[in-house]
Amino acid sequence: DRSLVFEKCGDVYRKSGDYQKAIDNYSAALSAWQESVQDTGPEYVPWVITRVSRNSNLCRKISISHEQASNYDEAYSWINKAVEYLPADSENTAPRVYAAKSGILRRKGAFEDSVLWGERATAIAVQSGNPRDIAYSHNILANTFIEMGQLQDAVQHLKKSVAISEQEQDFIGISTANNNLGACYMYQDNLDNAITHYKVALDADTKMQNDAMMAIDYNNLGEAYIMQ
């Protein structure tokens, strides 16, 4: 129960942009889980827990929080732990872990490796059929193509990510995919489309009360309006 409560608190802090508190709570969740009797379910909270992949999933969440806080070396260390913890039958966990590793490799400038892990994540996500994993993988892979200047490839992946995220009402996915798609259109001097997608991202971040992302959204919109 303690591990799950810490994890849920971490999710709230990450969505609201308080990444250090997210890291602290995810770390506490991991410690509580590893110290617990793992063959019993939660006693007081109603949430479902996937025991076999829990270590990997919590390490992934710690890694993502470090990445969002621009701590890329820490993020890389934690995502490698997440990969090591993956169970043999990891179809339901691997897509997010591999996609997260792809994103961190992009941050570190290892673009070819980033594409490799992103394509691996997307293939497994499509095979498993989890919509949010599919959307997330497409979004992460698109980020690398943007960095490589392959904007058409990025746009195709981002359109898929936007459509699935909106269908699933995944506000984090809606925000990130629309921001990235807006950036692609801005790089192509398609400013009307860029502004449209930046506004969608701002609406999603406003609903989550994520002040850090809202600041980025307003900045993106300001740059697009200046260029008009």
Side-chain angles (χ1 to χ4, degrees):
D1 291 285
R2 290 179 66 247
S3 177
L4 283 166
V5 171
F6 279 129
E7 181 187 8
K8 295 299 183 182
C9 288
D11 290 342
V12 172
Y13 282 125
R14 184 164 65 88
K15 285 182 180 180
S16 64
D18 194 335
Y19 302 123
Q20 186 55 57
K21 285 186 179 178
I23 291 166
D24 293 342
N25 277 272
Y26 288 143
S27 299
L30 181 61
S31 296
W33 171 248
Q34 292 177 339
E35 294 168 2
S36 68
V37 179
Q38 298 178 10
D39 59 354
T40 61
E43 184 177 356
Y44 300 108
V45 296
W47 304 311
V48 176
I49 191 168
T50 306
R51 296 179 183 83
V52 68
S53 59
R54 184 151 181 77
N55 283 317
S56 181
N57 191 46
L58 287 172
C59 288
R60 177 187 65 83
K61 289 187 174 185
I62 294 170
S63 174
I64 291 172
S65 300
H66 276 296
E67 180 193 2
Q68 291 174 315
S70 301
N71 303 325
Y72 301 133
D73 289 338
E74 284 291 324
Y76 189 65
S77 175
W78 278 101
I79 201 59
N80 284 334
K81 291 179 183 178
V83 172
E84 291 173 8
Y85 275 126
L86 277 174
D89 182 15
S90 58
E91 188 177 82
N92 294 325
T93 307
R96 292 229 159 199
V97 172
Y98 291 168
K101 183 160 184 174
S102 172
I104 294 162
L105 285 165
R106 173 183 60 83
R107 296 283 195 182
K108 294 172 72 68
F111 298 132
E112 291 184 5
D113 287 340
S114 176
V115 169
L116 176 67
W117 284 93
E119 289 178 340
R120 186 179 298 177
T122 304
I124 298 175
V126 170
Q127 182 179 342
S128 68
N130 185 308
R132 293 196 178 200
D133 286 350
I134 296 170
Y136 180 64
S137 299
H138 278 301
N139 186 43
I140 292 293
L141 188 53
N143 284 338
T144 304
F145 284 127
I146 292 172
E147 294 282 352
M148 297 171 72
Q150 297 175 213
L151 297 181
Q152 290 302 322
D153 290 330
V155 167
Q156 294 307 310
H157 283 286
L158 288 168
K159 284 182 176 179
K160 294 176 183 178
S161 184
V162 165
I164 297 170
S165 295
E166 290 179 348
Q167 181 180 351
E168 292 295 306
Q169 285 294 288
D170 177 4
F171 291 121
I172 291 180
I174 291 170
S175 167
T176 55
N178 276 283
N179 255 324
N180 291 333
L181 188 52
C184 283
Y185 284 130
M186 195 159 76
Y187 295 148
Q188 296 173 319
D189 292 325
N190 188 340
L191 298 178
D192 287 340
N193 274 345
I195 289 168
T196 295
H197 286 284
Y198 286 149
K199 285 181 176 179
V200 174
L202 176 60
D203 180 65
D205 289 322
T206 300
K207 289 176 180 176
M208 292 187 292
Q209 299 181 16
N210 188 327
D211 293 338
M213 284 304 302
M214 287 168 62
I216 292 172
D217 300 333
Y218 280 120
N219 183 71
N220 289 340
L221 279 167
E223 289 183 358
Y225 282 128
I226 288 170
M227 292 176 64
Q228 271 192 323

